Amino acid sequence: MIDVDSIARAAKILRQGGVVAFPTETVYGLGADATDVNAVSRIFAIKGRPTSHPLIVHLGHTEQLDAWADDVPPAARRLAERGWPGPLSLVLRRSERVPLAVTGGLETVALRVPAHPVALALLREFGGGLAAPSANRFGSVSPTTARHVEEDLGDAVDYVVDGGPCDVGVESTIVDFTGAEPAILRPGGLTREAIELVLGQELRAPGVGPGEAGVRAPGQHPSHYAPRARVLLVAPSAVVEEAGRWRSQGHRVGTLALAVHQPPPSEGLVTLTVPEADEDYARTIYGLLREFDRRGCELVIAALPPERGLGLAIADRLRRAAAPRG
Ligand code: TXA
Ligand code: MG
C-alpha cells in the first residue's frame, strides 16, 4: 500500500516549504514543516482557520518527544509509550524548536505519532515534525478519504498522498498535561477508559458549550465538524416522529440512526443507517454527514450514541455539528 515514489515526492515538497495532505489513521492531515513559519502560515490560509488556533505537530518516532517538548511529566511519557503510534495527542510545554506560529502563541504544544503506515513512512522520510490540522476548510466536516480532501481544498494544496480511507475515522484524543491534573481536551480515537487505565486515575472530561462545566481547548469551537445541512439531535425513540414533522412541512430531511429507530423509506427522506459497532460508526460518521449534503438534505435528524468508549467522540462531533453556527 505504500507508494515509495509518492512518499519521496511528498517529502521533497515539504522540505521546499510546501503543503501536503496525507492520510493518518484518524483523518487526513494538511501538513507542513513545523519549523518553517511561512509554510505553517500557508496551512492557516488554505483552511481559512484563525491563526490563534494551535496545530498538532506529528512525529515519526516516540523517541522524538523530548526534542519537541520540555519538562515531560512521567505520566505523559508513560501514556506516549503506550499510546503511540496511535490516535492520541499530548499537550506539553513546547521546546524552543516549536515556533509560536504553530501553537497559536501558546507556550504549550500538542504532539502525536500517528499509526498509519503512509503517515509514518512520510514522517520518517521527512525526518522532522509536521504541523498538520485536518485537511478540510475551517469548521466543516473532516476528510477521511483523499477524495474528500480534493473536494474541499482542490488545487490549494501542493500534493495529496492517497492512502485509502482512514481506519479510525474521528480525530485523535487530546490529553493536556500542562495543568494541575491531566485532562481530556477533545475525546477521540483512543478511549477515555483506555487512557485512564494507563494513567491509573480518572480524567476530567471536556465541556461542549460555553455555559457548560469542564475543560475548553483553544480552537475547539462549539460549532465544528458541520455539514451544510442543519443537524438536530433527538432521542433515538423520537427520530421517526421528528422526521415526519419536518417532512410534513415540506423539508428535505435526512435521518441518522440505528436501523431499529429509522422511519420507513419515503419520498423526500434520506435514511442513513448507523452501524451497530462503535468502531464502524466512528469510521463512517464523517462520510455519512457528507452524504446528506451530497443528497441535498436541508436538515438531518440524528440520535446520539451512548457516551462511552468511542461513543464519547462520536457524540462530541454530532453535538458540534448540531451547535448554532456563528
Ligand atoms: O487526529 C487528529 O488529531 C488530526 C490528524 C490530522 O492528526 N488532526 C487534527 O488537527 O484534528 P486539528 O487542527 O483539526 O485539531 C487540533 C486541535 C486544536 O483545534 C486544538 O483544540 C488542539 O488540537 N490543540 C493543539 N495544540 C494545542 C495546545 N497547545 N493546547 C491545547 N490544545 C491544543
Ligand atoms: Mg479539524
Side-chain angles (χ1 to χ4, degrees):
M1 190 165 85
I2 296 183
D3 174 0
V4 288
D5 291 339
S6 76
I7 299 286
R9 180 169 166 201
K12 184 171 172 213
I13 293 169
L14 289 164
R15 279 187 212 106
Q16 292 166 346
V19 175
V20 169
F22 64 96
T24 81
E25 79 280 33
T26 59
V27 302
Y28 273 70
L30 184 62
D33 180 345
T35 61
D36 181 337
V37 175
N38 286 321
V40 168
S41 76
R42 272 191 67 208
I43 292 179
F44 288 98
I46 290 169
K47 277 188 66 93
R49 169 167 165 146
T51 54
S52 59
H53 288 202
L55 306 178
I56 296 170
V57 176
H58 296 66
L59 305 173
H61 302 274
T62 303
E63 294 71 30
Q64 288 169 300
L65 175 59
D66 292 291
W68 293 83
D70 284 343
D71 309 329
V72 177
R77 197 177 297 282
R78 206 160 65 236
L79 189 57
E81 275 157 12
R82 295 287 295 275
W84 286 348
L88 167 74
S89 295
L90 303 181
V91 175
L92 299 160
R93 284 179 50 80
R94 74 176 173 99
S95 78
E96 222 167 46
R97 173 188 304 233
V98 183
L100 290 170
V102 167
T103 69
L106 297 172
E107 289 304 326
T108 58
V109 63
L111 300 175
R112 107 171 179 95
V113 179
H116 190 292
V118 173
L120 283 177
L122 177 60
L123 283 160
R124 290 169 184 179
E125 170 77 20
F126 175 69
L130 291 177
S134 52
N136 55 287
R137 298 222 179 264
F138 179 60
S140 69
V141 178
S142 303
T144 50
T145 66
R147 174 95 182 269
H148 294 161
V149 177
E150 275 148 16
E151 283 167 5
D152 284 358
L153 303 177
D155 295 339
V157 180
D158 296 320
Y159 188 50
V160 180
V161 184
D162 189 346
C166 300
D167 228 38
V168 175
V170 292
E171 291 82 351
S172 60
T173 305
I174 303 177
V175 186
D176 182 8
F177 281 95
T178 66
E181 291 291 330
I184 293 183
L185 300 185
R186 175 181 73 183
L190 188 62
T191 66
R192 173 182 177 163
E193 294 85 343
I195 295 168
E196 288 180 342
L197 210 62
V198 173
L199 295 180
Q201 71 177 103
E202 285 190 7
L203 295 175
R204 285 192 298 152
V208 177
E212 291 191 49
V215 189
R216 291 293 303 282
Q220 286 290 300
H221 274 200
S223 169
H224 215 142
Y225 314 105
R228 276 195 306 279
R230 253 183 79 199
V231 178
L232 202 68
L233 299 180
V234 301
S237 59
V239 173
V240 172
E241 190 192 327
E242 216 34 54
R245 209 163 65 76
W246 288 92
R247 267 304 298 136
S248 69
Q249 294 169 23
H251 295 286
R252 189 167 168 82
V253 174
T255 56
L256 185 67
L258 290 170
V260 290
H261 299 126
Q262 289 283 20
S266 77
E267 180 71 30
L269 187 67
V270 175
T271 56
L272 297 184
T273 293
V274 160
E276 297 272 349
D278 281 347
E279 292 73 27
D280 299 331
Y281 192 1
R283 186 182 307 120
T284 49
I285 175 85
Y286 289 139
L288 291 168
L289 290 176
R290 283 169 185 270
E291 178 73 5
F292 287 118
D293 278 347
R294 218 179 52 74
R295 292 172 64 177
C297 296
E298 299 160 63
L299 181 77
V300 175
I301 315 281
L304 286 181
E307 295 186 52
R308 54 169 187 273
L310 281 174
L312 194 64
I314 297 166
D316 171 77
R317 304 310 188 268
L318 286 174
R319 283 218 176 79
R320 289 179 202 277
R325 317 227 170 128

